[in-house]
Amino acid sequence: MDRSRRNFCLGAGAATVGAATLAAVPAGAAAPGKDGEAAHRWAMVVDVRKCVGCQACTVACIMENDVPENSFRTIVSTYEVTEQGKSGTYMLPRLCNHCEEPPCIPVCPTGATFQRRDGIVVVDNTVCVGCAYCVQACPYDARFINHESQTADKCTFCVHRVDAGLLPACVETCVGGARIFGDLNDPASAVSKLVREQDPKVLKPDQGTQPRVFYIGLDPKFQGKVDGTPTLWRPSEHTAHAPAGKEHA
């Protein structure tokens, strides 16, 4: 990462105040419960109505996970929308959906991509050979080949932070409170309540992947392929496999 980009990220990430924590979540989040099932099933709810497109989440992720230049584990795609002669912008935060049925796993020839008991999908880059089969299999354009490690890369819900009882960096840094993270197995968690009460939507439900990233206030036109080009803030046109550089959600 060059110095100018790192300095920009440091400045933009200054909104983070302290380290927010997950309520009553011990380290070792992947440990099984008493009934043999996972003690937790982590998920995220994104309230699109609260997203202001500031990209604080994107910058926080870059800094927390040392994401290489022009690649992104999460990003807010910003679209210019014109309806009935009026123009406006639409913000769509995007990341790995940590699906219940992740299509990236069965295509991996080495087993580098796998799902933890708590639902978080991760990549073992000591085993990954960089074949990019998983990149092609992901219907959400959420994966890329890290040009430094030459292995598959993606959002992990900041698994190292979650295991320590902390929130993912993007959630902690979101200035509008648009990202909510928690345990679907806990009926009292904010995530569980929002999923029950707000009838959130998921991206590309026709894929049958059962995403565990839910959207409140999602315009149905943005659930599938978007006919248009992301505007304002986006990666270089010359970057391969950057998740927000494509023209669909």
Side-chain angles (χ1 to χ4, degrees), residues 19-29 42 158-168:
T21 59
L22 294 165
V25 177
W42 301 115
C158 284
V159 67
H160 58 289
R161 292 176 59 89
V162 173
D163 284 352
L166 302 174
L167 292 170

Side-chain angles (χ1 to χ4, degrees), residues 106-167:
V107 301
C108 179
T110 65
T113 290
F114 64 96
Q115 189 167 36
R116 300 187 350 154
R117 293 178 62 88
D118 56 11
I120 298 178
V121 178
V122 293
V123 180
D124 183 347
N125 61 14
T126 67
V127 179
C128 177
V129 294
C131 66
Y133 289 165
C134 61
V135 175
Q136 298 302 318
C138 176
Y140 306 103
D141 305 323
R143 286 172 168 258
F144 61 96
I145 296 299
N146 186 310
H147 60 76
E148 293 181 354
S149 66
Q150 295 301 308
T151 58
D153 205 338
K154 58 177 282 297
C155 159
T156 64
F157 276 162
C158 284
V159 67
H160 58 289
R161 292 176 59 89
V162 173
D163 284 352
L166 302 174
L167 292 170

